[in-house]
């Protein structure tokens, strides 16, 4: 289990400033212009730390077979039924310990990486490598870019280099840079990182 932040309490009290009330605009535009569409029918996407499920639902509506994972049990009845109607599922649990029989084609990380304590990032990198099929993509909304580590978290500061480090040599970074559609109310910069799982062995 993750210690430090009581995520369930944050949702109970409605203290969820990360919740955009809809999908991230950059994700939406990439689903619409087909940069992030399923490579084949039934292609599977994992959404760790899915929260209220806006992104998960948008991915499912675009044809991804979505598995959304979040620690907070109370989100299951809020998110699960809508997702199931679109062919997806919501799993309550720790994404860093999540295992699945079949490999995923996409991991979509929107303010998940920056929510996990930095000392657990390496474990997340190993999990991603194990969960993604060769050729699968790790797409991350990198945020909050430029936030000093001394300010603590969550969200903990996050730069592309941090993601590159934890993904390691099993991934090729294809894209990395500022998003074209950022969230105006966010006070730190947002970047997009896309990396492809290149090797077949898990580490
Ligand atoms: C900052 S919020 C982002 C939520 C969602 N991705 C969004 O953009 O609205 C981080 C989410 O990750 C969840 N979370 C934190 N640590 C987790 C873990 N180890 N496994 C699964 N979910 C986790 C929290 O409950 C919370 O919903």
């Amino acid at each position: 289990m993750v210690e430090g932040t009581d995520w369930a309490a944050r949702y109970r009290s409605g203290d969820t400033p990360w919740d955009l009330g809809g999908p991230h605009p950059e994700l939406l535009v990439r689903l619409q212009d087909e940069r992030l569409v399923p490579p084949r029918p039934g292609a599977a996407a994992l959404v760790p730390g899915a929260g209220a499920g806006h992104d998960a639902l948008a991915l499912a509506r675009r044809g991804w077979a979505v598995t959304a994972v979040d620690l907070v049990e109370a989100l299951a009845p809020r998110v699960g039924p809508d997702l199931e109607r679109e062919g997806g599922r919501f799993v309550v649990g720790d994404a860093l310990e999540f295992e699945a029989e079949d490999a995923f084609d996409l991991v979509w990380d929107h303010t998940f990486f920056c929510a996990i304590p930095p000392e657990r990032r390496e474990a997340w990198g190993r999990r991603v490598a194990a969960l993604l099929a060769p050729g699968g993509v790790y797409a991350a909304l990198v945020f909050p870019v430029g936030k000093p580590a001394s300010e603590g978290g969550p969200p903990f500061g996050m730069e592309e280099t941090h993601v590159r480090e934890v993904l390691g040599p099993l991934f090729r970074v294809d894209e990395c840079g500022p998003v074209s559609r950022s969230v105006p109310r966010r006070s730190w910069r947002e970047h997009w990182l896309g990396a492809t799982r290149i090797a077949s062995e898990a580490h």
Side-chain angles (χ1 to χ4, degrees):
M1 269 294 291
V2 175
E3 286 163 23
T5 304
D6 187 342
W7 294 102
R10 299 287 297 264
Y11 282 99
R12 260 197 315 275
S13 62
D15 182 15
T16 56
W18 56 81
D19 188 341
L20 303 180
H24 192 283
E26 182 73 18
L27 175 69
L28 215 49
V29 84
R30 287 171 183 251
L31 290 175
Q32 280 159 1
D33 70 16
E34 309 209 331
R35 273 179 289 172
L36 204 67
V37 288
R40 59 171 192 291
L46 177 70
V47 184
H54 309 298
D55 292 345
L57 208 51
L59 286 158
R61 289 188 173 135
R62 200 65 183 84
W64 287 97
V66 172
T67 299
V69 181
D70 204 287
L71 284 174
V72 177
E73 211 171 332
L75 290 168
R78 272 176 63 186
V79 182
D82 284 347
L83 208 47
E84 280 161 29
R85 269 191 289 281
E86 302 292 340
R89 65 182 179 135
F90 185 91
V91 176
V92 177
D94 186 342
L96 281 86
E97 288 167 14
F98 181 72
E99 291 181 10
E101 252 173 51
D102 297 319
F104 289 90
D105 303 284
L106 172 71
V107 172
W108 166 242
D109 171 355
H110 178 195
T111 54
F112 174 65
F113 190 99
C114 69
I116 54 177
E119 65 274 15
R120 296 195 81 202
R121 287 176 174 177
E122 247 182 76
W124 174 235
R126 286 194 296 274
R127 202 82 296 275
V128 171
L131 289 167
L132 270 175
V137 169
Y138 182 76
L141 196 285
V142 182
F143 173 84
V145 175
K147 182 181 173 189
S150 56
E151 290 202 15
F156 297 95
M158 172 185 180
E159 316 282 334
E160 290 98 342
T161 49
H162 299 141
V163 187
R164 285 175 187 266
E165 269 165 31
V166 304
L167 292 180
L170 294 176
F171 285 81
R172 180 189 70 232
V173 174
D174 304 307
E175 187 183 351
C176 159
V179 295
S180 60
R181 313 287 170 101
S182 57
V183 176
R185 73 164 191 254
R186 286 192 168 162
S187 45
W188 302 99
R189 295 191 306 282
E190 298 181 283
H191 287 188
W192 181 278
L193 181 137
T196 302
R197 173 77 159 88
I198 50 172
S200 55
E201 77 280 13
H203 68 167

